[in-house]
Amino acid sequence: MEKKKSVAILGSTGSIGTQALDVVRSFPDKFEVSALTASNSVDLLIRQALEFKPEVVVIIKEEYYSQVKAALANIECRVLVGEEGLIEAATLVGVEVVLNAIVGAAGLRPTVEAIKCGKDIALANKETLVIAGELVMDLARKHNVKMLPVDSEHSAIFQCLVGEDNAIEKIYLTASGGPFRGKTAEDLARVTREQALKHPNWAMGAKITIDSASLMNKGLEVIEAKWLFDLELSQIDVIVHPQSIIHSIVQFEDGSMKAQMGVPDMKVPIQYALTYPKRLKNEFKRFNFLDYAELTFERPDFDTFKNLGLAYEALKEGGNRCCILNAANEIAVDAFLQDRVSFLGMSDILEKTLCHIGNRENLNLNDYIAFDQESRLVARDLISKLRN
Ligand code: NAD
Ligand code: MG
């Protein structure tokens, strides 16, 4: 019998993490889960650990340690805490693939440390590449590890490139347009958190759902695509495709285009990242052409959704710009979710934070982490002044 593939799932209690466990659960003879990690969803983490019996369980927030430890007293596993525990889970001996499904900049160090230990990375945590794409991809090449995209658009591009030894002319990243597609800035002046959290096609964590509403998510994905596929900015186009059936497209130098399609279901790209280069039979919903008489396409509205342009700009300038953009966005989204910043006000926070911090190039990991921290302070300060 084939040896089971050992997987560490970082962020196992989130939207991607739980769907990854659904995939693993449906192939009991293919995978074994060696590590599970969560920030604070203790009950779910405990249930997952009792079911999958990993070697290591990590709870980031120390105050939950004794609860997790007590609940797992009867199974053989080590319970660890904090960032150090997370790094241990990401670098565990015997693990072949680390699925990074953490949200935000907290995913960067675990990716880097896992690569240094030669683990293949199934990457949902796009922030890793937004902050430090060049550094991370160089490291992946040096350690000869695979970067397997989980983000549906990047998985689509990756799948279109299988078997190709040909240059890419261009890629088209598709965007659903989110819940506010077609709205004007005037319409968006007063939108609420609840409205922004209603995504038409995907059920996801809160942060990426807000990013999808503001098109920041597509901006982050442009940056992610640049580094994953080693492209020039001029080779990356975004096209709004509200049905989310075509997940993205590669155009080759002979004008031929390949697209990857299917009903919107993150379990498809998650499964592909875990089983690559194989495709395994599953029972997920299949696409029916007659359910979709029309697949439509539109230009993104850069005037209303400023964050998309800010992402292109940051990528063009390079250095620390994308790191600052990402950190300021995390703070702005958090503040929007707490009703402390308006929907459109989020873009102002990003612009002002970028203005406040000078550009620096040739950064190492600690430099990126320092700029991430500094940007958070600046963005928080800007937000606290809004009220006064
Ligand atoms: P989520 O909020 O549902 O889950 C996040 C997970 O990370 C949870 O397990 C949480 O406990 C953990 N976590 C949160 N803060 C942490 C910290 N500081 N340190 C360690 N762990 C922490 O998020 P999600 O929607 O599953 O998204 C995860 C990542 O995948 C994001 O980078 C997102 O952009 C990307 N992604 C998600 C989807 C989707 O459909 N949800 C699609 C494409 C890409
Ligand atoms: Mg995506």
Side-chain angles (χ1 to χ4, degrees):
M1 209 177 68
E2 218 181 312
K3 190 178 149 291
K4 289 186 189 177
K5 193 184 265 185
S6 163
V7 187
I9 302 187
L10 313 182
S12 63
T13 55
S15 163
I16 294 290
T18 51
Q19 293 182 84
L21 288 173
D22 288 343
V23 170
V24 167
R25 195 181 281 114
S26 64
F27 297 108
D29 54 341
K30 297 284 184 206
F31 303 106
E32 99 192 329
V33 177
S34 300
L36 292 171
T37 84
S39 171
N40 56 1
S41 307
V42 196
D43 295 333
L44 180 54
L45 179 67
I46 290 169
R47 265 186 277 131
Q48 292 176 339
L50 291 172
E51 178 182 354
F52 291 96
K53 304 194 173 50
E55 193 182 322
V56 165
V57 173
V58 181
I59 181 77
I60 300 294
K61 300 232 164 105
E62 207 161 345
E63 61 261 39
Y64 299 115
Y65 171 76
S66 47
Q67 189 185 341
V68 178
K69 182 82 185 152
L72 302 182
N74 291 332
I75 64 167
E76 229 178 89
C77 81
R78 284 190 292 142
V79 179
L80 307 174
V81 289
E83 202 192 4
E84 289 320 303
L86 188 59
I87 301 300
E88 199 161 335
T91 56
L92 207 59
V93 175
V95 165
E96 289 160 76
V97 185
V98 172
L99 174 77
N100 188 341
I102 293 170
V103 59
L108 173 61
R109 262 195 74 205
T111 312
V112 167
E113 298 303 326
I115 293 173
K116 285 190 192 158
C117 288
K119 317 292 186 198
D120 288 336
I121 309 291
L123 190 69
N125 180 259
K126 63 190 82 185
E127 294 89 348
T128 287
L129 292 179
V130 172
I131 300 167
E134 191 168 14
L135 179 151
V136 169
M137 293 307 289
D138 282 349
L139 205 60
R141 277 185 283 270
K142 184 170 146 206
H143 291 271
N144 200 21
V145 308
K146 296 188 191 74
M147 293 296 278
L148 302 157
V150 169
D151 212 349
S152 58
E153 297 77 0
H154 306 74
S155 174
I157 303 288
F158 185 76
Q159 294 182 52
C160 292
L161 292 174
V162 169
E164 293 285 353
D165 191 14
N166 293 301
I168 297 173
E169 188 167 81
K170 193 168 206 164
I171 65 167
Y172 293 90
L173 295 178
T174 51
S176 71
F180 302 143
R181 183 175 62 89
K183 301 276 189 233
T184 62
E186 209 171 39
D187 298 330
L188 295 184
R190 284 183 209 297
V191 293
T192 63
R193 169 182 188 276
E194 284 64 35
Q195 289 169 305
L197 282 170
K198 269 201 198 107
H199 195 279
N201 302 341
W202 302 94
M204 309 179 285
K207 192 247 174 191
I208 184 176
T209 306
I210 300 302
D211 285 347
S212 300
S214 67
L215 292 201
M216 183 78 262
N217 183 51
K218 214 45 59 178
L220 301 179
E221 291 184 353
V222 168
I223 303 168
E224 182 186 12
K226 173 183 166 73
W227 299 118
L228 267 177
F229 304 112
D230 194 18
L231 299 169
E232 298 298 325
L233 209 54
S234 58
Q235 292 176 287
I236 310 174
D237 251 7
V238 170
I239 189 88
V240 173
H241 165 47
Q243 298 80 16
S244 297
I245 296 299
I246 295 181
H247 300 310
S248 280
I249 300 155
V250 179
Q251 178 176 310
F252 294 96
E253 289 184 313
D254 60 354
S256 184
M257 299 165 100
K258 278 189 183 175
Q260 189 263 342
M261 302 171 57
V263 287
D265 181 353
M266 284 309 296
K267 289 208 280 293
V268 176
I270 292 169
Q271 178 178 314
Y272 190 68
L274 293 178
T275 65
Y276 171 83
K278 288 196 180 141
R279 293 184 186 275
L280 300 185
K281 182 162 180 59
N282 61 32
E283 302 303 326
F284 305 158
K285 187 168 178 235
R286 290 343 189 207
F287 177 71
N288 180 348
F289 280 90
L290 303 181
D291 289 343
Y292 292 87
E294 277 186 80
L295 296 182
T296 59
F297 305 93
E298 300 164 14
R299 213 194 304 276
D301 178 354
F302 281 85
D303 294 331
T304 307
F305 299 94
K306 285 194 179 158
N307 292 3
L308 183 56
L310 289 178
Y312 271 100
E313 199 58 37
L315 190 51
K316 200 155 72 191
E317 287 176 20
N320 59 7
R321 300 283 97 187
C322 293
C323 170
I324 299 169
L325 180 76
N326 179 71
N329 181 56
E330 285 188 35
I331 298 300
V333 169
D334 208 46
F336 173 71
L337 287 170
Q338 296 171 35
D339 281 333
R340 297 175 56 224
V341 172
S342 68
F343 187 76
L344 296 175
M346 289 193 288
S347 304
D348 296 339
I349 301 298
L350 308 194
E351 275 179 301
K352 287 186 180 143
T353 308
L354 281 160
C355 271
H356 200 277
I357 303 175
N359 199 359
R360 272 258 323 272
E361 309 214 340
N362 300 319
L363 307 178
N364 63 31
L365 182 66
N366 288 332
D367 297 328
Y368 282 117
I369 293 173
F371 277 115
D372 174 81
Q373 294 299 323
E374 184 183 348
S375 312
R376 283 166 199 271
L377 290 177
V378 171
R380 279 202 192 99
D381 190 48
L382 289 165
I383 291 165
S384 71
K385 285 182 180 141
L386 286 177
R387 288 274 148 148
N388 305 324

